Amino acid sequence: MKKLIIAEKPSLGRNIASALGLKKRGNGYIEGEKYIVSWAFGHLFELSNVDDYFGKKMKWKEVELPFTPRKFKFKLKESKGIAEQFKVLKNLMEREDVEGIINCGDADREGQIIIDRIIKESKIKKEVYRLWLPEQTKETIVEEVKNIKPDREYIKLAFEGYSRTVMDWLFGINLTRYITLKSGQLMPVGRVLIPVLKFIYDRDTAIEKFVKEKYIQLESECEKDEVKFKLSKSTKYLIKDEKKADSKCEELNSCEGEVLSKENKEIKKQPGKLFSLSKLQSQLSKKNKIDFKGSLEIIQKLYENGYITYPRTNTEYLAVNEKGKVKQLLKALSKDHNVKFKDSKKIFDDDKVESHSAIIPTMKFPKNNLNGREKIIYETILNRFISNFLAEETITAKVVVTIGVGNEKFKLSGESVVQVGFYKYEPATFENKLPNFIVGDTFKVEFKKILKETKPPRKVSERELAAHLKNPFRKDSDTEEDEYKAILKGIEIGTEATRTGIIENAKKYEYISQKGSNFSLEPLGQKVVETLDKLNIDLYKTKTVEFSKLLKKVYKGNSTIQETIDLVTEELQRIIGQNIEIPRVYNDSEREIIGVCPRCGKNIYENSKGFSCVGYRDTPPCNFTLWKESKYKSIEVKISKTRAKKLIKGETIPVKKIKGKNEKVYSAEFKLEDTGKYVNLKLEKYFPVEE
């Protein structure tokens, strides 16, 4: 008898098969004596759309909102490859020699429900197990296959995954339809997308409203032992107070500078903590100019190739039970690096690990096979790990000098490396070089008025947005304990696994744009936020975090999927029940006119599926639409923009290489036929093509 392992992706399936020594290849699976390995392509199933519940295509305004199905249904995604692979999986599950099924989705809530759903939709009643892989090395795969657990032990994780799925479906479907119908413009929105837009909107608004103010500061350029340094008075004088600045400047310049005190001390530096996904992406964005989308793709690839541990983690700590694994890794690294094991709570802390530990290297090391960015990212992870276990301490010498000028005191500081330690792996620059001050030394000062102006807030950066989404309520005074308590309570917007995708969606919808690592709100994004405000829809950080915390309650067994559905529906009823009317604004000025509607004379514009008259907005509506994928009987004809323009003008379009019933190839010419109800293609003439 055999067990069927279903991996989330083909790459993982191949890694498992290779680790277990499976050789026999079938159509969509690999088989051995004890195991069969097959795979999904991520989600094979998705939640049914609104039309599926009605059994026909419905106009948005015909569906009463909020729409909450009595029972949520899933359907196979519309793809020939997906349908074929599900058939492969179902046949494998039905085999008499398969005694059990092993869920090997990614080690998170999404991976859990991807495979659970496949098994459920197959209607196969066999024992189900869970293979949880923190990394994809051969050794770990072999070890964890021996330690599979009953899949039911992960039921709370699955409940959280399903709660998140239905929550985001309900918010996305209902709010998108609601604000689109109210505004007259398609505006896709969602639970996590809205706070992203709001954060960027608020910053861009602050920048736009910012008024520069000029002010005066007093500064003195000084020099000692051929080393230049600057004394700067922190007080800012408004232009109207220039006389006060003159007076203070004169007062200071009547004195000499004197070294009042000098403090030398050695500082033991601590390395940065191991990486969570967002902290790793933030560092790569700031230091290496690799955007979040690009870094995530490479990080995922490094994981799938077995070089790093599971990356979609929100912690910077390792679990206590990983000490043995870390010792093995350090032993391997000790050949080239001066490392030693450190049994420290600053590194190992179960209280700060939820599902996955920090990202670290595995025992599988690359063999000069990484390209430029792959090498940068891998070495960033490796160097941070080595830095945390380096035997040599990192020591700097810091000098703090107090300078007196009259009644004013100025502090200067400088720092230099005494013992390089982890700076060998994560270099730092110390630019505060000071002269060799001696207490009692005096020197000449020459303070001048320096005209400056206030600077506007900076654009939102990737790093800043990631920090905001990780904890939108974080204060500068928060301790690390506060930060991890917030994580465990679910005080977050989106997750480490989903945030990059949400940001990319906002760019795809043309709500935001990105230049370098900075984001800007686009006009359509501004319109979304302003429309939400007009409709009194507050799904910004406070409300969104409430629902994130609800997901954590489901995971902990303190709430249920149905309670999630009820609370989301209640919120949607509150929002939609206000039934606020707002002006419908259409911005067609930048759209290309395809033609003039033969029914009502208004403009026809292109959309994702066809070419439609703007008269659909009227009452009664004009429903003239020419579909991009049209048919004449069984003949499929693709309608391009060029073809659409000709057809709408009443001209014919040529279509080559059409197969007739007798398998002969023809060319044909078609015109537009508008019945008043339907827009069809009409065959004008056809003729055989000589072969």
Side-chain angles (χ1 to χ4, degrees), residues 307-326:
Y307 299 134
I308 62 172
T309 57
Y310 186 74
R312 296 171 190 253
T313 175
N314 59 5
T315 188
E316 298 154 80
Y317 287 83
L318 300 176
V320 171
N321 65 10
E322 293 179 281
K323 290 179 181 179
K325 179 175 78 173
V326 169

mmCIF file with all atom_site columns, all heavy atoms in Angstrom, residues 307-326:
data_model
loop_
_atom_site.group_PDB
_atom_site.id
_atom_site.type_symbol
_atom_site.label_atom_id
_atom_site.label_alt_id
_atom_site.label_comp_id
_atom_site.label_asym_id
_atom_site.label_entity_id
_atom_site.label_seq_id
_atom_site.pdbx_PDB_ins_code
_atom_site.Cartn_x
_atom_site.Cartn_y
_atom_site.Cartn_z
_atom_site.occupancy
_atom_site.B_iso_or_equiv
_atom_site.pdbx_formal_charge
_atom_site.auth_seq_id
_atom_site.auth_comp_id
_atom_site.auth_asym_id
_atom_site.auth_atom_id
_atom_site.pdbx_PDB_model_num
ATOM 1   N N   . TYR A 1 307 ? 17.725 26.470 -0.347 1.00 0.00 ? 307 TYR A N   1
ATOM 2   C CA  . TYR A 1 307 ? 18.855 27.198 0.235  1.00 0.00 ? 307 TYR A CA  1
ATOM 3   C C   . TYR A 1 307 ? 18.503 27.957 1.515  1.00 0.00 ? 307 TYR A C   1
ATOM 4   O O   . TYR A 1 307 ? 19.393 28.266 2.304  1.00 0.00 ? 307 TYR A O   1
ATOM 5   C CB  . TYR A 1 307 ? 19.438 28.185 -0.784 1.00 0.00 ? 307 TYR A CB  1
ATOM 6   C CG  . TYR A 1 307 ? 19.965 27.523 -2.032 1.00 0.00 ? 307 TYR A CG  1
ATOM 7   C CD1 . TYR A 1 307 ? 19.660 28.027 -3.292 1.00 0.00 ? 307 TYR A CD1 1
ATOM 8   C CD2 . TYR A 1 307 ? 20.775 26.390 -1.951 1.00 0.00 ? 307 TYR A CD2 1
ATOM 9   C CE1 . TYR A 1 307 ? 20.143 27.415 -4.445 1.00 0.00 ? 307 TYR A CE1 1
ATOM 10  C CE2 . TYR A 1 307 ? 21.260 25.779 -3.102 1.00 0.00 ? 307 TYR A CE2 1
ATOM 11  C CZ  . TYR A 1 307 ? 20.936 26.294 -4.343 1.00 0.00 ? 307 TYR A CZ  1
ATOM 12  O OH  . TYR A 1 307 ? 21.420 25.684 -5.477 1.00 0.00 ? 307 TYR A OH  1
ATOM 13  N N   . ILE A 1 308 ? 17.224 28.306 1.690  1.00 0.00 ? 308 ILE A N   1
ATOM 14  C CA  . ILE A 1 308 ? 16.808 29.031 2.898  1.00 0.00 ? 308 ILE A CA  1
ATOM 15  C C   . ILE A 1 308 ? 15.541 28.396 3.461  1.00 0.00 ? 308 ILE A C   1
ATOM 16  O O   . ILE A 1 308 ? 14.854 27.634 2.769  1.00 0.00 ? 308 ILE A O   1
ATOM 17  C CB  . ILE A 1 308 ? 16.552 30.525 2.609  1.00 0.00 ? 308 ILE A CB  1
ATOM 18  C CG1 . ILE A 1 308 ? 15.405 30.698 1.606  1.00 0.00 ? 308 ILE A CG1 1
ATOM 19  C CG2 . ILE A 1 308 ? 17.822 31.216 2.132  1.00 0.00 ? 308 ILE A CG2 1
ATOM 20  C CD1 . ILE A 1 308 ? 14.953 32.143 1.421  1.00 0.00 ? 308 ILE A CD1 1
ATOM 21  N N   . THR A 1 309 ? 15.246 28.713 4.710  1.00 0.00 ? 309 THR A N   1
ATOM 22  C CA  . THR A 1 309 ? 14.047 28.186 5.350  1.00 0.00 ? 309 THR A CA  1
ATOM 23  C C   . THR A 1 309 ? 12.807 28.932 4.850  1.00 0.00 ? 309 THR A C   1
ATOM 24  O O   . THR A 1 309 ? 12.905 29.928 4.134  1.00 0.00 ? 309 THR A O   1
ATOM 25  C CB  . THR A 1 309 ? 14.150 28.321 6.877  1.00 0.00 ? 309 THR A CB  1
ATOM 26  O OG1 . THR A 1 309 ? 14.372 29.706 7.213  1.00 0.00 ? 309 THR A OG1 1
ATOM 27  C CG2 . THR A 1 309 ? 15.296 27.487 7.416  1.00 0.00 ? 309 THR A CG2 1
ATOM 28  N N   . TYR A 1 310 ? 11.639 28.450 5.271  1.00 0.00 ? 310 TYR A N   1
ATOM 29  C CA  . TYR A 1 310 ? 10.360 29.020 4.818  1.00 0.00 ? 310 TYR A CA  1
ATOM 30  C C   . TYR A 1 310 ? 10.354 30.530 5.054  1.00 0.00 ? 310 TYR A C   1
ATOM 31  O O   . TYR A 1 310 ? 10.554 30.995 6.173  1.00 0.00 ? 310 TYR A O   1
ATOM 32  C CB  . TYR A 1 310 ? 9.202  28.362 5.553  1.00 0.00 ? 310 TYR A CB  1
ATOM 33  C CG  . TYR A 1 310 ? 7.856  28.801 5.039  1.00 0.00 ? 310 TYR A CG  1
ATOM 34  C CD1 . TYR A 1 310 ? 7.379  28.332 3.821  1.00 0.00 ? 310 TYR A CD1 1
ATOM 35  C CD2 . TYR A 1 310 ? 7.075  29.700 5.757  1.00 0.00 ? 310 TYR A CD2 1
ATOM 36  C CE1 . TYR A 1 310 ? 6.151  28.741 3.331  1.00 0.00 ? 310 TYR A CE1 1
ATOM 37  C CE2 . TYR A 1 310 ? 5.846  30.121 5.277  1.00 0.00 ? 310 TYR A CE2 1
ATOM 38  C CZ  . TYR A 1 310 ? 5.392  29.636 4.062  1.00 0.00 ? 310 TYR A CZ  1
ATOM 39  O OH  . TYR A 1 310 ? 4.181  30.059 3.575  1.00 0.00 ? 310 TYR A OH  1
ATOM 40  N N   . PRO A 1 311 ? 10.120 31.321 3.994  1.00 0.00 ? 311 PRO A N   1
ATOM 41  C CA  . PRO A 1 311 ? 10.339 32.769 4.115  1.00 0.00 ? 311 PRO A CA  1
ATOM 42  C C   . PRO A 1 311 ? 9.163  33.620 4.580  1.00 0.00 ? 311 PRO A C   1
ATOM 43  O O   . PRO A 1 311 ? 9.367  34.728 5.060  1.00 0.00 ? 311 PRO A O   1
ATOM 44  C CB  . PRO A 1 311 ? 10.728 33.164 2.685  1.00 0.00 ? 311 PRO A CB  1
ATOM 45  C CG  . PRO A 1 311 ? 9.994  32.185 1.822  1.00 0.00 ? 311 PRO A CG  1
ATOM 46  C CD  . PRO A 1 311 ? 9.923  30.904 2.604  1.00 0.00 ? 311 PRO A CD  1
ATOM 47  N N   . ARG A 1 312 ? 7.930  33.120 4.460  1.00 0.00 ? 312 ARG A N   1
ATOM 48  C CA  . ARG A 1 312 ? 6.788  34.009 4.732  1.00 0.00 ? 312 ARG A CA  1
ATOM 49  C C   . ARG A 1 312 ? 6.475  34.021 6.229  1.00 0.00 ? 312 ARG A C   1
ATOM 50  O O   . ARG A 1 312 ? 5.433  33.559 6.675  1.00 0.00 ? 312 ARG A O   1
ATOM 51  C CB  . ARG A 1 312 ? 5.587  33.575 3.899  1.00 0.00 ? 312 ARG A CB  1
ATOM 52  C CG  . ARG A 1 312 ? 5.881  33.739 2.400  1.00 0.00 ? 312 ARG A CG  1
ATOM 53  C CD  . ARG A 1 312 ? 4.815  33.135 1.521  1.00 0.00 ? 312 ARG A CD  1
ATOM 54  N NE  . ARG A 1 312 ? 5.227  33.107 0.139  1.00 0.00 ? 312 ARG A NE  1
ATOM 55  C CZ  . ARG A 1 312 ? 4.749  33.898 -0.823 1.00 0.00 ? 312 ARG A CZ  1
ATOM 56  N NH1 . ARG A 1 312 ? 3.862  34.802 -0.556 1.00 0.00 ? 312 ARG A NH1 1
ATOM 57  N NH2 . ARG A 1 312 ? 5.197  33.788 -2.058 1.00 0.00 ? 312 ARG A NH2 1
ATOM 58  N N   . THR A 1 313 ? 7.417  34.575 6.973  1.00 0.00 ? 313 THR A N   1
ATOM 59  C CA  . THR A 1 313 ? 7.339  34.565 8.426  1.00 0.00 ? 313 THR A CA  1
ATOM 60  C C   . THR A 1 313 ? 7.332  35.989 8.964  1.00 0.00 ? 313 THR A C   1
ATOM 61  O O   . THR A 1 313 ? 7.894  36.897 8.353  1.00 0.00 ? 313 THR A O   1
ATOM 62  C CB  . THR A 1 313 ? 8.522  33.784 9.028  1.00 0.00 ? 313 THR A CB  1
ATOM 63  O OG1 . THR A 1 313 ? 8.493  33.890 10.439 1.00 0.00 ? 313 THR A OG1 1
ATOM 64  C CG2 . THR A 1 313 ? 9.863  34.321 8.520  1.00 0.00 ? 313 THR A CG2 1
ATOM 65  N N   . ASN A 1 314 ? 6.692  36.165 10.133 1.00 0.00 ? 314 ASN A N   1
ATOM 66  C CA  . ASN A 1 314 ? 6.592  37.509 10.716 1.00 0.00 ? 314 ASN A CA  1
ATOM 67  C C   . ASN A 1 314 ? 7.488  37.690 11.939 1.00 0.00 ? 314 ASN A C   1
ATOM 68  O O   . ASN A 1 314 ? 7.388  38.690 12.643 1.00 0.00 ? 314 ASN A O   1
ATOM 69  C CB  . ASN A 1 314 ? 5.134  37.807 11.104 1.00 0.00 ? 314 ASN A CB  1
ATOM 70  C CG  . ASN A 1 314 ? 4.586  36.807 12.120 1.00 0.00 ? 314 ASN A CG  1
ATOM 71  O OD1 . ASN A 1 314 ? 5.311  35.950 12.612 1.00 0.00 ? 314 ASN A OD1 1
ATOM 72  N ND2 . ASN A 1 314 ? 3.313  36.912 12.436 1.00 0.00 ? 314 ASN A ND2 1
ATOM 73  N N   . THR A 1 315 ? 8.368  36.720 12.211 1.00 0.00 ? 315 THR A N   1
ATOM 74  C CA  . THR A 1 315 ? 9.198  36.805 13.409 1.00 0.00 ? 315 THR A CA  1
ATOM 75  C C   . THR A 1 315 ? 10.677 36.910 13.070 1.00 0.00 ? 315 THR A C   1
ATOM 76  O O   . THR A 1 315 ? 11.104 36.556 11.966 1.00 0.00 ? 315 THR A O   1
ATOM 77  C CB  . THR A 1 315 ? 8.972  35.582 14.320 1.00 0.00 ? 315 THR A CB  1
ATOM 78  O OG1 . THR A 1 315 ? 9.652  35.792 15.569 1.00 0.00 ? 315 THR A OG1 1
ATOM 79  C CG2 . THR A 1 315 ? 9.513  34.315 13.680 1.00 0.00 ? 315 THR A CG2 1
ATOM 80  N N   . GLU A 1 316 ? 11.455 37.393 14.051 1.00 0.00 ? 316 GLU A N   1
ATOM 81  C CA  . GLU A 1 316 ? 12.909 37.496 13.903 1.00 0.00 ? 316 GLU A CA  1
ATOM 82  C C   . GLU A 1 316 ? 13.615 36.566 14.894 1.00 0.00 ? 316 GLU A C   1
ATOM 83  O O   . GLU A 1 316 ? 14.796 36.766 15.199 1.00 0.00 ? 316 GLU A O   1
ATOM 84  C CB  . GLU A 1 316 ? 13.341 38.946 14.134 1.00 0.00 ? 316 GLU A CB  1
ATOM 85  C CG  . GLU A 1 316 ? 12.738 39.896 13.114 1.00 0.00 ? 316 GLU A CG  1
ATOM 86  C CD  . GLU A 1 316 ? 12.596 41.315 13.628 1.00 0.00 ? 316 GLU A CD  1
ATOM 87  O OE1 . GLU A 1 316 ? 13.598 42.039 13.623 1.00 0.00 ? 316 GLU A OE1 1
ATOM 88  O OE2 . GLU A 1 316 ? 11.484 41.681 14.052 1.00 0.00 ? 316 GLU A OE2 1
ATOM 89  N N   . TYR A 1 317 ? 12.875 35.554 15.352 1.00 0.00 ? 317 TYR A N   1
ATOM 90  C CA  . TYR A 1 317 ? 13.407 34.614 16.343 1.00 0.00 ? 317 TYR A CA  1
ATOM 91  C C   . TYR A 1 317 ? 13.316 33.185 15.836 1.00 0.00 ? 317 TYR A C   1
ATOM 92  O O   . TYR A 1 317 ? 12.546 32.883 14.921 1.00 0.00 ? 317 TYR A O   1
ATOM 93  C CB  . TYR A 1 317 ? 12.622 34.730 17.659 1.00 0.00 ? 317 TYR A CB  1
ATOM 94  C CG  . TYR A 1 317 ? 12.940 35.991 18.427 1.00 0.00 ? 317 TYR A CG  1
ATOM 95  C CD1 . TYR A 1 317 ? 12.320 37.197 18.113 1.00 0.00 ? 317 TYR A CD1 1
ATOM 96  C CD2 . TYR A 1 317 ? 13.868 35.981 19.469 1.00 0.00 ? 317 TYR A CD2 1
ATOM 97  C CE1 . TYR A 1 317 ? 12.612 38.365 18.805 1.00 0.00 ? 317 TYR A CE1 1
ATOM 98  C CE2 . TYR A 1 317 ? 14.164 37.139 20.170 1.00 0.00 ? 317 TYR A CE2 1
ATOM 99  C CZ  . TYR A 1 317 ? 13.544 38.320 19.830 1.00 0.00 ? 317 TYR A CZ  1
ATOM 100 O OH  . TYR A 1 317 ? 13.853 39.457 20.518 1.00 0.00 ? 317 TYR A OH  1
ATOM 101 N N   . LEU A 1 318 ? 14.086 32.302 16.467 1.00 0.00 ? 318 LEU A N   1
ATOM 102 C CA  . LEU A 1 318 ? 14.038 30.877 16.175 1.00 0.00 ? 318 LEU A CA  1
ATOM 103 C C   . LEU A 1 318 ? 13.366 30.144 17.331 1.00 0.00 ? 318 LEU A C   1
ATOM 104 O O   . LEU A 1 318 ? 13.412 30.592 18.479 1.00 0.00 ? 318 LEU A O   1
ATOM 105 C CB  . LEU A 1 318 ? 15.453 30.322 15.972 1.00 0.00 ? 318 LEU A CB  1
ATOM 106 C CG  . LEU A 1 318 ? 16.276 30.944 14.844 1.00 0.00 ? 318 LEU A CG  1
ATOM 107 C CD1 . LEU A 1 318 ? 17.685 30.365 14.835 1.00 0.00 ? 318 LEU A CD1 1
ATOM 108 C CD2 . LEU A 1 318 ? 15.600 30.731 13.492 1.00 0.00 ? 318 LEU A CD2 1
ATOM 109 N N   . ALA A 1 319 ? 12.754 29.003 17.008 1.00 0.00 ? 319 ALA A N   1
ATOM 110 C CA  . ALA A 1 319 ? 12.133 28.177 18.047 1.00 0.00 ? 319 ALA A CA  1
ATOM 111 C C   . ALA A 1 319 ? 13.213 27.426 18.818 1.00 0.00 ? 319 ALA A C   1
ATOM 112 O O   . ALA A 1 319 ? 14.278 27.102 18.278 1.00 0.00 ? 319 ALA A O   1
ATOM 113 C CB  . ALA A 1 319 ? 11.155 27.197 17.412 1.00 0.00 ? 319 ALA A CB  1
ATOM 114 N N   . VAL A 1 320 ? 12.926 27.152 20.073 1.00 0.00 ? 320 VAL A N   1
ATOM 115 C CA  . VAL A 1 320 ? 13.886 26.464 20.945 1.00 0.00 ? 320 VAL A CA  1
ATOM 116 C C   . VAL A 1 320 ? 14.263 25.100 20.372 1.00 0.00 ? 320 VAL A C   1
ATOM 117 O O   . VAL A 1 320 ? 15.426 24.672 20.460 1.00 0.00 ? 320 VAL A O   1
ATOM 118 C CB  . VAL A 1 320 ? 13.307 26.329 22.370 1.00 0.00 ? 320 VAL A CB  1
ATOM 119 C CG1 . VAL A 1 320 ? 14.190 25.438 23.235 1.00 0.00 ? 320 VAL A CG1 1
ATOM 120 C CG2 . VAL A 1 320 ? 13.165 27.714 23.005 1.00 0.00 ? 320 VAL A CG2 1
ATOM 121 N N   . ASN A 1 321 ? 13.288 24.402 19.766 1.00 0.00 ? 321 ASN A N   1
ATOM 122 C CA  . ASN A 1 321 ? 13.581 23.054 19.257 1.00 0.00 ? 321 ASN A CA  1
ATOM 123 C C   . ASN A 1 321 ? 14.463 23.061 18.010 1.00 0.00 ? 321 ASN A C   1
ATOM 124 O O   . ASN A 1 321 ? 14.782 22.007 17.461 1.00 0.00 ? 321 ASN A O   1
ATOM 125 C CB  . ASN A 1 321 ? 12.278 22.287 18.980 1.00 0.00 ? 321 ASN A CB  1
ATOM 126 C CG  . ASN A 1 321 ? 11.438 22.905 17.872 1.00 0.00 ? 321 ASN A CG  1
ATOM 127 O OD1 . ASN A 1 321 ? 11.886 23.800 17.157 1.00 0.00 ? 321 ASN A OD1 1
ATOM 128 N ND2 . ASN A 1 321 ? 10.204 22.441 17.738 1.00 0.00 ? 321 ASN A ND2 1
ATOM 129 N N   . GLU A 1 322 ? 14.884 24.236 17.559 1.00 0.00 ? 322 GLU A N   1
ATOM 130 C CA  . GLU A 1 322 ? 15.763 24.334 16.387 1.00 0.00 ? 322 GLU A CA  1
ATOM 131 C C   . GLU A 1 322 ? 17.239 24.456 16.778 1.00 0.00 ? 322 GLU A C   1
ATOM 132 O O   . GLU A 1 322 ? 18.094 24.600 15.902 1.00 0.00 ? 322 GLU A O   1
ATOM 133 C CB  . GLU A 1 322 ? 15.369 25.542 15.536 1.00 0.00 ? 322 GLU A CB  1
ATOM 134 C CG  . GLU A 1 322 ? 13.998 25.383 14.876 1.00 0.00 ? 322 GLU A CG  1
ATOM 135 C CD  . GLU A 1 322 ? 13.607 26.603 14.061 1.00 0.00 ? 322 GLU A CD  1
ATOM 136 O OE1 . GLU A 1 322 ? 13.166 27.589 14.656 1.00 0.00 ? 322 GLU A OE1 1
ATOM 137 O OE2 . GLU A 1 322 ? 13.741 26.548 12.822 1.00 0.00 ? 322 GLU A OE2 1
ATOM 138 N N   . LYS A 1 323 ? 17.533 24.376 18.055 1.00 0.00 ? 323 LYS A N   1
ATOM 139 C CA  . LYS A 1 323 ? 18.926 24.550 18.498 1.00 0.00 ? 323 LYS A CA  1
ATOM 140 C C   . LYS A 1 323 ? 19.845 23.504 17.885 1.00 0.00 ? 323 LYS A C   1
ATOM 141 O O   . LYS A 1 323 ? 20.967 23.804 17.473 1.00 0.00 ? 323 LYS A O   1
ATOM 142 C CB  . LYS A 1 323 ? 19.004 24.520 20.017 1.00 0.00 ? 323 LYS A CB  1
ATOM 143 C CG  . LYS A 1 323 ? 18.395 25.749 20.676 1.00 0.00 ? 323 LYS A CG  1
ATOM 144 C CD  . LYS A 1 323 ? 18.475 25.673 22.199 1.00 0.00 ? 323 LYS A CD  1
ATOM 145 C CE  . LYS A 1 323 ? 17.825 26.903 22.838 1.00 0.00 ? 323 LYS A CE  1
ATOM 146 N NZ  . LYS A 1 323 ? 17.858 26.849 24.315 1.00 0.00 ? 323 LYS A NZ  1
ATOM 147 N N   . GLY A 1 324 ? 19.370 22.269 17.807 1.00 0.00 ? 324 GLY A N   1
ATOM 148 C CA  . GLY A 1 324 ? 20.184 21.198 17.229 1.00 0.00 ? 324 GLY A CA  1
ATOM 149 C C   . GLY A 1 324 ? 20.500 21.469 15.770 1.00 0.00 ? 324 GLY A C   1
ATOM 150 O O   . GLY A 1 324 ? 21.643 21.283 15.315 1.00 0.00 ? 324 GLY A O   1
ATOM 151 N N   . LYS A 1 325 ? 19.491 21.913 15.029 1.00 0.00 ? 325 LYS A N   1
ATOM 152 C CA  . LYS A 1 325 ? 19.683 22.224 13.609 1.00 0.00 ? 325 LYS A CA  1
ATOM 153 C C   . LYS A 1 325 ? 20.687 23.363 13.438 1.00 0.00 ? 325 LYS A C   1
ATOM 154 O O   . LYS A 1 325 ? 21.546 23.323 12.548 1.00 0.00 ? 325 LYS A O   1
ATOM 155 C CB  . LYS A 1 325 ? 18.334 22.612 12.992 1.00 0.00 ? 325 LYS A CB  1
ATOM 156 C CG  . LYS A 1 325 ? 18.405 22.985 11.525 1.00 0.00 ? 325 LYS A CG  1
ATOM 157 C CD  . LYS A 1 325 ? 17.024 23.246 10.941 1.00 0.00 ? 325 LYS A CD  1
ATOM 158 C CE  . LYS A 1 325 ? 16.498 24.604 11.323 1.00 0.00 ? 325 LYS A CE  1
ATOM 159 N NZ  . LYS A 1 325 ? 15.229 24.934 10.640 1.00 0.00 ? 325 LYS A NZ  1
ATOM 160 N N   . VAL A 1 326 ? 20.591 24.365 14.305 1.00 0.00 ? 326 VAL A N   1
ATOM 161 C CA  . VAL A 1 326 ? 21.499 25.506 14.227 1.00 0.00 ? 326 VAL A CA  1
ATOM 162 C C   . VAL A 1 326 ? 22.935 25.071 14.533 1.00 0.00 ? 326 VAL A C   1
ATOM 163 O O   . VAL A 1 326 ? 23.888 25.522 13.878 1.00 0.00 ? 326 VAL A O   1
ATOM 164 C CB  . VAL A 1 326 ? 21.045 26.623 15.192 1.00 0.00 ? 326 VAL A CB  1
ATOM 165 C CG1 . VAL A 1 326 ? 22.121 27.700 15.334 1.00 0.00 ? 326 VAL A CG1 1
ATOM 166 C CG2 . VAL A 1 326 ? 19.740 27.243 14.697 1.00 0.00 ? 326 VAL A CG2 1
#
